[in-house]
Amino acid sequence: MFTALIGLVAFAIIALIGWGIAEAKGKTCVYEKNQQEEEVEEQLAQSLHKNGFHELSIKDVIKSISTKGFKTT
């Protein structure tokens, strides 16, 4: 019984140490966009502004996809 208690405490300590390392790593590794990514996002924004944005409803999606399968000839 005492061995199981020690194992449980050791598991909890190791889990907390791992969680702390993961949190610290997440705070130190910061993602920054490069110039190419920013240019692509700007082009997409201009395209949306020029062509307009239209979100499809579920009825529009069902009309545009094959929901009944393929017909055999």
Side-chain angles (χ1 to χ4, degrees), residues 4-60:
L5 187 59
I6 290 174
L8 182 64
V9 170
F11 177 74
I13 290 172
I14 292 171
L16 287 173
I17 290 171
W19 177 62
I21 291 171
E23 285 290 325
K25 185 177 178 182
K27 291 183 189 267
T28 58
C29 297
V30 179
Y31 180 77
E32 295 178 7
K33 295 179 185 177
N34 61 21
Q35 184 65 26
Q36 290 176 333
E37 291 174 327
E38 290 177 359
E39 289 174 1
V40 169
E41 284 186 359
E42 184 178 328
Q43 289 174 356
L44 290 173
Q46 289 174 356
S47 174
L48 281 176
H49 182 69
K50 182 176 81 173
N51 300 330
F53 178 73
H54 176 66
E55 187 171 345
L56 298 176
S57 68
I58 190 66
K59 291 179 182 179
D60 296 332

Side-chain angles (χ1 to χ4, degrees), residues 56-68:
L56 298 176
S57 68
I58 190 66
K59 291 179 182 179
D60 296 332
V61 173
I62 290 173
K63 287 178 187 176
S64 65
I65 63 172
S66 175
T67 57
K68 298 179 183 160

